[in-house]
Amino acid sequence: MGVALPGQMPRRWLHSAIPLAVFALLLVYLWARNLREYSVHSPALGGTGESRPWGSKASPKALTALSRLPLSGCGSGTQSCIAEGPPPFQVQQQSGPVEGAEWEEPQCLGPQGMLGRIMRQFRASLKPEGDVELSQYLAGWRDLVRFVTPLGSIFAFATSEASAKVTALEALVHGPQAAHYTSLGTMVAWERPEIASSPSRASGSVSMLLLHRALRWSQLCLHRVATGMLGGPDAGVQCSDAYGTALAPHHSWLVRQAAHLAFLAFPGRGRLLKLMCPGARETEARAAVARAAGTLEDVYNRTQGLLAERGLLELA
C-alpha cells in the first residue's frame, strides 16, 4: 500500500469541495429569493397580499392600477374579449340609443340615409293623441322593406307577407273609404261590425295585425344585431330566436322549418352592420341600428296597446 503524500489530501479535498460550494450557494440564493417574494406578498410581513391566489383581496390602489391597464388581447378558450377601442355601449331599456362617450351620428341616420328615413316615417306615425297614423306607418314599412331586402334572403322571406299587407292597406288608405282609414283607431271603428260578425272580412285590421307581428320581429332582430356581445351568439342565431318569439307561433310547421333553414345562411354581424350603415365604424353602426330599433319598439308598443284595448291581438 502506498502512503498518501502530504500535498495530495488538500488537492483531493479541493476537487470535492468546489461542487459542494456551488450547490450550497445555489440553495442559499433560492432560499433568499423565496423569502423575498414571501415578504412582499404576505400581509404578515408587511406585504400587500395582492398575489395570494386563494380568497385574498387586492388593495384599492392595486385595483385602480389594474383597471387602467388596456386589454390588448384574448387568451385561448375565452368566450368574450373586448379589444382596445371605444368604451362599450350603454343599453337603455330594451332598445333605444346606444352611444359611446364620443359618438357622432353616422350618415345612415341622416336625411339621405335609409335608417334615418325609416325612423322619421315611423316616428311621424305616432300621433300626439295616442293613435297611429296609417299613411306614415305604411310609408315607414315601405322603407323598412327596401332596407332589409338587400340584407339577405331570410329578410325577404320574413317580409314578403308584410309587403303584401302594406299594399293591401295602402289600397284602403287611398281608396273610396279613405276617410275611415286615416289611423288605426278610425279603421277599427269602421270595421267593427265586420270584426264582430266575420273577423276574416275585416281586411284592414287583419293586415294591420300581421304587420304588427312582423314589425316585432324586425325590431328584435335589429336590436340584437346592434347589442350582441363579442363572443356571444351570432346575428343569425339571435334573429332566429327573434323569429321564434314574434312570428313562429303564427306560422305553420312547414314555414317554421323553412325559416330555420334560411337562418343558417344569415350574414354575420359585421357584414350586416356594414350593409345597414355603410361607411360607419362598428361602434357608430351599432348605435345607429340600436336607435332605429328603439323607434320600431316605440311604434310596436303603441300599436300593441291599441290592438289589445280592442281585443284584436288574436284576430288572425
Side-chain angles (χ1 to χ4, degrees), residues 115-141 143 182-184 292 294-296 298-300 302-303:
L115 275 178
R117 292 202 299 269
I118 292 171
M119 292 172 60
R120 285 191 296 275
Q121 299 281 16
F122 275 114
R123 195 180 293 119
S125 72
L126 299 176
K127 302 181 70 173
E129 60 270 24
D131 208 346
V132 175
E133 185 177 344
L134 289 182
S135 61
Q136 294 289 345
Y137 180 86
L138 296 175
W141 252 112
D143 283 335
T182 58
S183 70
L184 175 58
T295 297
L296 297 186
D298 291 340
V299 177
Y300 173 84
R302 172 75 64 85
T303 310

mmCIF file of all heavy atoms in Angstrom, residues 115-141 143 182-184 292 294-296 298-300 302-303:
data_model
loop_
_atom_site.group_PDB
_atom_site.id
_atom_site.type_symbol
_atom_site.label_atom_id
_atom_site.label_comp_id
_atom_site.label_asym_id
_atom_site.label_seq_id
_atom_site.Cartn_x
_atom_site.Cartn_y
_atom_site.Cartn_z
ATOM 1 N N LEU A 115 -81.794 54.295 -42.776
ATOM 2 C CA LEU A 115 -82.231 54.169 -41.386
ATOM 3 C C LEU A 115 -82.893 55.459 -40.906
ATOM 4 O O LEU A 115 -83.894 55.421 -40.175
ATOM 5 C CB LEU A 115 -81.045 53.824 -40.480
ATOM 6 C CG LEU A 115 -80.652 52.355 -40.355
ATOM 7 C CD1 LEU A 115 -79.436 52.211 -39.454
ATOM 8 C CD2 LEU A 115 -81.800 51.518 -39.815
ATOM 9 N N GLY A 116 -82.334 56.587 -41.303
ATOM 10 C CA GLY A 116 -82.925 57.858 -40.916
ATOM 11 C C GLY A 116 -84.320 58.041 -41.477
ATOM 12 O O GLY A 116 -85.223 58.525 -40.784
ATOM 13 N N ARG A 117 -84.528 57.655 -42.726
ATOM 14 C CA ARG A 117 -85.870 57.775 -43.323
ATOM 15 C C ARG A 117 -86.862 56.853 -42.631
ATOM 16 O O ARG A 117 -88.015 57.241 -42.381
ATOM 17 C CB ARG A 117 -85.794 57.457 -44.825
ATOM 18 C CG ARG A 117 -85.036 58.484 -45.626
ATOM 19 C CD ARG A 117 -85.419 58.446 -47.099
ATOM 20 N NE ARG A 117 -85.126 57.152 -47.700
ATOM 21 C CZ ARG A 117 -83.964 56.869 -48.291
ATOM 22 N NH1 ARG A 117 -82.994 57.763 -48.302
ATOM 23 N NH2 ARG A 117 -83.774 55.693 -48.854
ATOM 24 N N ILE A 118 -86.423 55.641 -42.322
ATOM 25 C CA ILE A 118 -87.311 54.703 -41.621
ATOM 26 C C ILE A 118 -87.744 55.285 -40.288
ATOM 27 O O ILE A 118 -88.935 55.278 -39.934
ATOM 28 C CB ILE A 118 -86.601 53.354 -41.416
ATOM 29 C CG1 ILE A 118 -86.384 52.647 -42.763
ATOM 30 C CG2 ILE A 118 -87.393 52.458 -40.479
ATOM 31 C CD1 ILE A 118 -85.504 51.422 -42.671
ATOM 32 N N MET A 119 -86.791 55.804 -39.538
ATOM 33 C CA MET A 119 -87.110 56.351 -38.227
ATOM 34 C C MET A 119 -88.063 57.537 -38.325
ATOM 35 O O MET A 119 -89.007 57.655 -37.538
ATOM 36 C CB MET A 119 -85.817 56.751 -37.513
ATOM 37 C CG MET A 119 -84.932 55.588 -37.110
ATOM 38 S SD MET A 119 -83.329 56.123 -36.474
ATOM 39 C CE MET A 119 -83.832 57.108 -35.064
ATOM 40 N N ARG A 120 -87.828 58.430 -39.279
ATOM 41 C CA ARG A 120 -88.688 59.617 -39.397
ATOM 42 C C ARG A 120 -90.115 59.229 -39.766
ATOM 43 O O ARG A 120 -91.076 59.797 -39.239
ATOM 44 C CB ARG A 120 -88.094 60.579 -40.423
ATOM 45 C CG ARG A 120 -86.884 61.336 -39.921
ATOM 46 C CD ARG A 120 -86.499 62.455 -40.879
ATOM 47 N NE ARG A 120 -86.086 61.922 -42.180
ATOM 48 C CZ ARG A 120 -84.852 61.503 -42.453
ATOM 49 N NH1 ARG A 120 -83.931 61.539 -41.510
ATOM 50 N NH2 ARG A 120 -84.548 61.044 -43.645
ATOM 51 N N GLN A 121 -90.257 58.272 -40.689
ATOM 52 C CA GLN A 121 -91.596 57.867 -41.106
ATOM 53 C C GLN A 121 -92.351 57.211 -39.948
ATOM 54 O O GLN A 121 -93.508 57.549 -39.675
ATOM 55 C CB GLN A 121 -91.505 56.881 -42.281
ATOM 56 C CG GLN A 121 -90.837 57.443 -43.529
ATOM 57 C CD GLN A 121 -91.779 58.320 -44.345
ATOM 58 O OE1 GLN A 121 -92.820 58.754 -43.875
ATOM 59 N NE2 GLN A 121 -91.399 58.575 -45.591
ATOM 60 N N PHE A 122 -91.720 56.292 -39.282
ATOM 61 C CA PHE A 122 -92.390 55.604 -38.182
ATOM 62 C C PHE A 122 -92.656 56.540 -37.010
ATOM 63 O O PHE A 122 -93.715 56.470 -36.374
ATOM 64 C CB PHE A 122 -91.576 54.390 -37.722
ATOM 65 C CG PHE A 122 -91.836 53.146 -38.513
ATOM 66 C CD1 PHE A 122 -90.862 52.586 -39.312
ATOM 67 C CD2 PHE A 122 -93.075 52.517 -38.448
ATOM 68 C CE1 PHE A 122 -91.103 51.434 -40.045
ATOM 69 C CE2 PHE A 122 -93.328 51.357 -39.170
ATOM 70 C CZ PHE A 122 -92.340 50.815 -39.977
ATOM 71 N N ARG A 123 -91.693 57.409 -36.728
ATOM 72 C CA ARG A 123 -91.899 58.340 -35.617
ATOM 73 C C ARG A 123 -93.061 59.295 -35.916
ATOM 74 O O ARG A 123 -93.827 59.648 -35.019
ATOM 75 C CB ARG A 123 -90.618 59.129 -35.357
ATOM 76 C CG ARG A 123 -90.621 59.841 -34.006
ATOM 77 C CD ARG A 123 -89.332 60.604 -33.791
ATOM 78 N NE ARG A 123 -88.193 59.723 -33.664
ATOM 79 C CZ ARG A 123 -87.144 59.729 -34.491
ATOM 80 N NH1 ARG A 123 -87.115 60.578 -35.506
ATOM 81 N NH2 ARG A 123 -86.144 58.908 -34.308
ATOM 82 N N ALA A 124 -93.200 59.684 -37.185
ATOM 83 C CA ALA A 124 -94.292 60.578 -37.564
ATOM 84 C C ALA A 124 -95.650 59.895 -37.465
ATOM 85 O O ALA A 124 -96.680 60.582 -37.380
ATOM 86 C CB ALA A 124 -94.075 61.092 -38.986
ATOM 87 N N SER A 125 -95.657 58.563 -37.464
ATOM 88 C CA SER A 125 -96.941 57.853 -37.360
ATOM 89 C C SER A 125 -97.516 57.894 -35.951
ATOM 90 O O SER A 125 -98.711 57.616 -35.758
ATOM 91 C CB SER A 125 -96.770 56.394 -37.796
ATOM 92 O OG SER A 125 -96.045 55.638 -36.834
ATOM 93 N N LEU A 126 -96.712 58.233 -34.970
ATOM 94 C CA LEU A 126 -97.179 58.273 -33.583
ATOM 95 C C LEU A 126 -97.865 59.614 -33.336
ATOM 96 O O LEU A 126 -97.222 60.634 -33.090
ATOM 97 C CB LEU A 126 -96.000 58.083 -32.618
ATOM 98 C CG LEU A 126 -95.254 56.746 -32.744
ATOM 99 C CD1 LEU A 126 -94.064 56.708 -31.808
ATOM 100 C CD2 LEU A 126 -96.191 55.580 -32.479
ATOM 101 N N LYS A 127 -99.181 59.608 -33.359
ATOM 102 C CA LYS A 127 -99.942 60.843 -33.190
ATOM 103 C C LYS A 127 -99.955 61.259 -31.718
ATOM 104 O O LYS A 127 -99.993 60.405 -30.816
ATOM 105 C CB LYS A 127 -101.369 60.639 -33.705
ATOM 106 C CG LYS A 127 -101.436 60.211 -35.171
ATOM 107 C CD LYS A 127 -102.852 60.049 -35.653
ATOM 108 C CE LYS A 127 -103.549 61.388 -35.771
ATOM 109 N NZ LYS A 127 -104.892 61.251 -36.412
ATOM 110 N N PRO A 128 -99.935 62.560 -31.451
ATOM 111 C CA PRO A 128 -99.888 63.028 -30.063
ATOM 112 C C PRO A 128 -101.036 62.514 -29.202
ATOM 113 O O PRO A 128 -100.873 62.314 -27.996
ATOM 114 C CB PRO A 128 -99.934 64.560 -30.209
ATOM 115 C CG PRO A 128 -99.434 64.828 -31.584
ATOM 116 C CD PRO A 128 -99.888 63.670 -32.415
ATOM 117 N N GLU A 129 -102.215 62.319 -29.803
ATOM 118 C CA GLU A 129 -103.356 61.867 -29.009
ATOM 119 C C GLU A 129 -103.329 60.379 -28.716
ATOM 120 O O GLU A 129 -104.258 59.843 -28.102
ATOM 121 C CB GLU A 129 -104.664 62.232 -29.721
ATOM 122 C CG GLU A 129 -104.835 61.614 -31.097
ATOM 123 C CD GLU A 129 -104.287 62.475 -32.208
ATOM 124 O OE1 GLU A 129 -103.385 63.302 -31.930
ATOM 125 O OE2 GLU A 129 -104.761 62.343 -33.354
ATOM 126 N N GLY A 130 -102.280 59.675 -29.143
ATOM 127 C CA GLY A 130 -102.131 58.257 -28.797
ATOM 128 C C GLY A 130 -102.517 57.291 -29.889
ATOM 129 O O GLY A 130 -102.488 56.075 -29.670
ATOM 130 N N ASP A 131 -102.879 57.778 -31.070
ATOM 131 C CA ASP A 131 -103.263 56.905 -32.178
ATOM 132 C C ASP A 131 -102.046 56.673 -33.085
ATOM 133 O O ASP A 131 -100.961 57.196 -32.838
ATOM 134 C CB ASP A 131 -104.418 57.538 -32.962
ATOM 135 C CG ASP A 131 -105.303 56.493 -33.648
ATOM 136 O OD1 ASP A 131 -104.873 55.334 -33.742
ATOM 137 O OD2 ASP A 131 -106.414 56.848 -34.089
ATOM 138 N N VAL A 132 -102.238 55.872 -34.131
ATOM 139 C CA VAL A 132 -101.199 55.598 -35.123
ATOM 140 C C VAL A 132 -101.726 56.006 -36.491
ATOM 141 O O VAL A 132 -102.750 55.464 -36.952
ATOM 142 C CB VAL A 132 -100.792 54.115 -35.128
ATOM 143 C CG1 VAL A 132 -99.791 53.832 -36.251
ATOM 144 C CG2 VAL A 132 -100.204 53.707 -33.786
ATOM 145 N N GLU A 133 -101.066 56.945 -37.146
ATOM 146 C CA GLU A 133 -101.475 57.387 -38.474
ATOM 147 C C GLU A 133 -101.039 56.359 -39.511
ATOM 148 O O GLU A 133 -99.850 56.026 -39.621
ATOM 149 C CB GLU A 133 -100.861 58.745 -38.789
ATOM 150 C CG GLU A 133 -101.330 59.320 -40.110
ATOM 151 C CD GLU A 133 -100.755 60.697 -40.368
ATOM 152 O OE1 GLU A 133 -100.255 61.321 -39.403
ATOM 153 O OE2 GLU A 133 -100.800 61.147 -41.527
ATOM 154 N N LEU A 134 -101.990 55.863 -40.293
ATOM 155 C CA LEU A 134 -101.710 54.745 -41.183
ATOM 156 C C LEU A 134 -100.805 55.131 -42.359
ATOM 157 O O LEU A 134 -99.949 54.345 -42.764
ATOM 158 C CB LEU A 134 -103.017 54.153 -41.705
ATOM 159 C CG LEU A 134 -103.845 53.390 -40.670
ATOM 160 C CD1 LEU A 134 -105.101 52.815 -41.315
ATOM 161 C CD2 LEU A 134 -103.026 52.284 -40.028
ATOM 162 N N SER A 135 -100.992 56.302 -42.945
ATOM 163 C CA SER A 135 -100.188 56.657 -44.112
ATOM 164 C C SER A 135 -98.706 56.716 -43.762
ATOM 165 O O SER A 135 -97.849 56.213 -44.511
ATOM 166 C CB SER A 135 -100.661 57.992 -44.692
ATOM 167 O OG SER A 135 -100.514 59.031 -43.741
ATOM 168 N N GLN A 136 -98.354 57.305 -42.628
ATOM 169 C CA GLN A 136 -96.963 57.369 -42.196
ATOM 170 C C GLN A 136 -96.446 55.993 -41.778
ATOM 171 O O GLN A 136 -95.288 55.637 -42.057
ATOM 172 C CB GLN A 136 -96.815 58.357 -41.035
ATOM 173 C CG GLN A 136 -97.082 59.803 -41.391
ATOM 174 C CD GLN A 136 -95.991 60.387 -42.268
ATOM 175 O OE1 GLN A 136 -94.920 59.831 -42.401
ATOM 176 N NE2 GLN A 136 -96.278 61.517 -42.900
ATOM 177 N N TYR A 137 -97.302 55.239 -41.124
ATOM 178 C CA TYR A 137 -96.929 53.880 -40.710
ATOM 179 C C TYR A 137 -96.576 53.033 -41.929
ATOM 180 O O TYR A 137 -95.559 52.321 -41.950
ATOM 181 C CB TYR A 137 -98.089 53.265 -39.926
ATOM 182 C CG TYR A 137 -97.851 51.857 -39.430
ATOM 183 C CD1 TYR A 137 -97.201 51.623 -38.215
ATOM 184 C CD2 TYR A 137 -98.294 50.756 -40.148
ATOM 185 C CE1 TYR A 137 -96.995 50.328 -37.751
ATOM 186 C CE2 TYR A 137 -98.095 49.458 -39.691
ATOM 187 C CZ TYR A 137 -97.446 49.261 -38.489
ATOM 188 O OH TYR A 137 -97.237 47.963 -38.029
ATOM 189 N N LEU A 138 -97.392 53.091 -42.959
ATOM 190 C CA LEU A 138 -97.158 52.305 -44.169
ATOM 191 C C LEU A 138 -95.938 52.825 -44.937
ATOM 192 O O LEU A 138 -95.198 52.041 -45.540
ATOM 193 C CB LEU A 138 -98.394 52.323 -45.057
ATOM 194 C CG LEU A 138 -99.638 51.661 -44.445
ATOM 195 C CD1 LEU A 138 -100.841 51.841 -45.360
ATOM 196 C CD2 LEU A 138 -99.391 50.190 -44.158
ATOM 197 N N ALA A 139 -95.714 54.146 -44.931
ATOM 198 C CA ALA A 139 -94.525 54.692 -45.565
ATOM 199 C C ALA A 139 -93.259 54.195 -44.866
ATOM 200 O O ALA A 139 -92.251 53.871 -45.509
ATOM 201 C CB ALA A 139 -94.576 56.219 -45.554
ATOM 202 N N GLY A 140 -93.334 54.117 -43.531
ATOM 203 C CA GLY A 140 -92.209 53.548 -42.790
ATOM 204 C C GLY A 140 -91.979 52.092 -43.144
ATOM 205 O O GLY A 140 -90.839 51.643 -43.277
ATOM 206 N N TRP A 141 -93.063 51.341 -43.321
ATOM 207 C CA TRP A 141 -92.938 49.944 -43.694
ATOM 208 C C TRP A 141 -92.334 49.796 -45.085
ATOM 209 O O TRP A 141 -91.522 48.900 -45.343
ATOM 210 C CB TRP A 141 -94.292 49.246 -43.637
ATOM 211 C CG TRP A 141 -94.421 48.305 -42.477
ATOM 212 C CD1 TRP A 141 -95.227 48.431 -41.391
ATOM 213 C CD2 TRP A 141 -93.705 47.083 -42.299
ATOM 214 N NE1 TRP A 141 -95.053 47.377 -40.526
ATOM 215 C CE2 TRP A 141 -94.125 46.528 -41.076
ATOM 216 C CE3 TRP A 141 -92.739 46.407 -43.035
ATOM 217 C CZ2 TRP A 141 -93.620 45.328 -40.579
ATOM 218 C CZ3 TRP A 141 -92.224 45.208 -42.543
ATOM 219 C CH2 TRP A 141 -92.669 44.682 -41.334
ATOM 220 N N ASP A 143 -90.197 51.768 -46.540
ATOM 221 C CA ASP A 143 -88.761 51.990 -46.418
ATOM 222 C C ASP A 143 -88.081 50.841 -45.679
ATOM 223 O O ASP A 143 -86.938 50.474 -46.004
ATOM 224 C CB ASP A 143 -88.495 53.303 -45.682
ATOM 225 C CG ASP A 143 -88.718 54.521 -46.569
ATOM 226 O OD1 ASP A 143 -88.601 54.365 -47.808
ATOM 227 O OD2 ASP A 143 -89.007 55.609 -46.043
ATOM 228 N N THR A 182 -107.677 56.669 -41.901
ATOM 229 C CA THR A 182 -106.629 57.648 -41.620
ATOM 230 C C THR A 182 -105.724 57.195 -40.474
ATOM 231 O O THR A 182 -104.553 57.561 -40.427
ATOM 232 C CB THR A 182 -107.238 59.010 -41.263
ATOM 233 O OG1 THR A 182 -108.092 58.856 -40.122
ATOM 234 C CG2 THR A 182 -108.038 59.557 -42.452
ATOM 235 N N SER A 183 -106.275 56.417 -39.549
ATOM 236 C CA SER A 183 -105.498 55.969 -38.399
ATOM 237 C C SER A 183 -105.966 54.580 -37.989
ATOM 238 O O SER A 183 -106.992 54.079 -38.463
ATOM 239 C CB SER A 183 -105.640 56.935 -37.219
ATOM 240 O OG SER A 183 -106.953 56.858 -36.675
ATOM 241 N N LEU A 184 -105.208 53.975 -37.098
ATOM 242 C CA LEU A 184 -105.596 52.653 -36.587
ATOM 243 C C LEU A 184 -106.942 52.730 -35.873
ATOM 244 O O LEU A 184 -107.797 51.854 -36.026
ATOM 245 C CB LEU A 184 -104.512 52.136 -35.635
ATOM 246 C CG LEU A 184 -104.802 50.822 -34.899
ATOM 247 C CD1 LEU A 184 -105.073 49.687 -35.876
ATOM 248 C CD2 LEU A 184 -103.642 50.458 -33.975
ATOM 249 N N ALA A 292 -82.527 52.939 -34.329
ATOM 250 C CA ALA A 292 -83.643 52.591 -35.211
ATOM 251 C C ALA A 292 -84.537 51.535 -34.569
ATOM 252 O O ALA A 292 -85.770 51.611 -34.637
ATOM 253 C CB ALA A 292 -83.111 52.100 -36.556
ATOM 254 N N GLY A 294 -85.008 51.144 -31.455
ATOM 255 C CA GLY A 294 -85.779 51.815 -30.410
ATOM 256 C C GLY A 294 -87.011 52.506 -30.954
ATOM 257 O O GLY A 294 -88.071 52.496 -30.325
ATOM 258 N N THR A 295 -86.889 53.119 -32.145
ATOM 259 C CA THR A 295 -88.056 53.746 -32.769
ATOM 260 C C THR A 295 -89.102 52.696 -33.125
ATOM 261 O O THR A 295 -90.303 52.890 -32.885
ATOM 262 C CB THR A 295 -87.622 54.509 -34.038
ATOM 263 O OG1 THR A 295 -86.722 55.557 -33.670
ATOM 264 C CG2 THR A 295 -88.824 55.118 -34.743
ATOM 265 N N LEU A 296 -88.657 51.568 -33.689
ATOM 266 C CA LEU A 296 -89.602 50.497 -34.014
ATOM 267 C C LEU A 296 -90.279 49.962 -32.752
ATOM 268 O O LEU A 296 -91.467 49.610 -32.776
ATOM 269 C CB LEU A 296 -88.874 49.355 -34.736
ATOM 270 C CG LEU A 296 -88.236 49.686 -36.092
ATOM 271 C CD1 LEU A 296 -87.687 48.411 -36.729
ATOM 272 C CD2 LEU A 296 -89.229 50.363 -37.024
ATOM 273 N N ASP A 298 -90.974 51.698 -30.051
ATOM 274 C CA ASP A 298 -91.987 52.667 -29.637
ATOM 275 C C ASP A 298 -93.272 52.493 -30.447
ATOM 276 O O ASP A 298 -94.376 52.542 -29.894
ATOM 277 C CB ASP A 298 -91.452 54.090 -29.823
ATOM 278 C CG ASP A 298 -90.338 54.419 -28.839
ATOM 279 O OD1 ASP A 298 -90.237 53.738 -27.803
ATOM 280 O OD2 ASP A 298 -89.555 55.358 -29.124
ATOM 281 N N VAL A 299 -93.117 52.297 -31.757
ATOM 282 C CA VAL A 299 -94.294 52.103 -32.610
ATOM 283 C C VAL A 299 -94.984 50.790 -32.273
ATOM 284 O O VAL A 299 -96.217 50.725 -32.195
ATOM 285 C CB VAL A 299 -93.883 52.145 -34.096
ATOM 286 C CG1 VAL A 299 -95.077 51.862 -34.994
ATOM 287 C CG2 VAL A 299 -93.277 53.499 -34.435
ATOM 288 N N TYR A 300 -94.205 49.757 -32.066
ATOM 289 C CA TYR A 300 -94.797 48.463 -31.710
ATOM 290 C C TYR A 300 -95.582 48.556 -30.404
ATOM 291 O O TYR A 300 -96.703 48.050 -30.298
ATOM 292 C CB TYR A 300 -93.701 47.407 -31.579
ATOM 293 C CG TYR A 300 -94.209 46.088 -31.048
ATOM 294 C CD1 TYR A 300 -94.787 45.142 -31.889
ATOM 295 C CD2 TYR A 300 -94.144 45.799 -29.680
ATOM 296 C CE1 TYR A 300 -95.275 43.949 -31.400
ATOM 297 C CE2 TYR A 300 -94.629 44.603 -29.182
ATOM 298 C CZ TYR A 300 -95.192 43.680 -30.049
ATOM 299 O OH TYR A 300 -95.686 42.498 -29.539
ATOM 300 N N ARG A 302 -96.972 51.169 -29.027
ATOM 301 C CA ARG A 302 -98.195 51.944 -29.235
ATOM 302 C C ARG A 302 -99.267 51.084 -29.913
ATOM 303 O O ARG A 302 -100.425 51.049 -29.470
ATOM 304 C CB ARG A 302 -97.877 53.167 -30.102
ATOM 305 C CG ARG A 302 -99.098 53.980 -30.563
ATOM 306 C CD ARG A 302 -99.699 54.815 -29.450
ATOM 307 N NE ARG A 302 -98.778 55.823 -28.994
ATOM 308 C CZ ARG A 302 -98.631 57.034 -29.562
ATOM 309 N NH1 ARG A 302 -99.356 57.358 -30.623
ATOM 310 N NH2 ARG A 302 -97.787 57.926 -29.067
ATOM 311 N N THR A 303 -98.897 50.387 -30.982
ATOM 312 C CA THR A 303 -99.852 49.542 -31.709
ATOM 313 C C THR A 303 -100.327 48.381 -30.851
ATOM 314 O O THR A 303 -101.507 48.012 -30.876
ATOM 315 C CB THR A 303 -99.210 49.010 -33.000
ATOM 316 O OG1 THR A 303 -98.633 50.092 -33.716
ATOM 317 C CG2 THR A 303 -100.223 48.314 -33.874
#
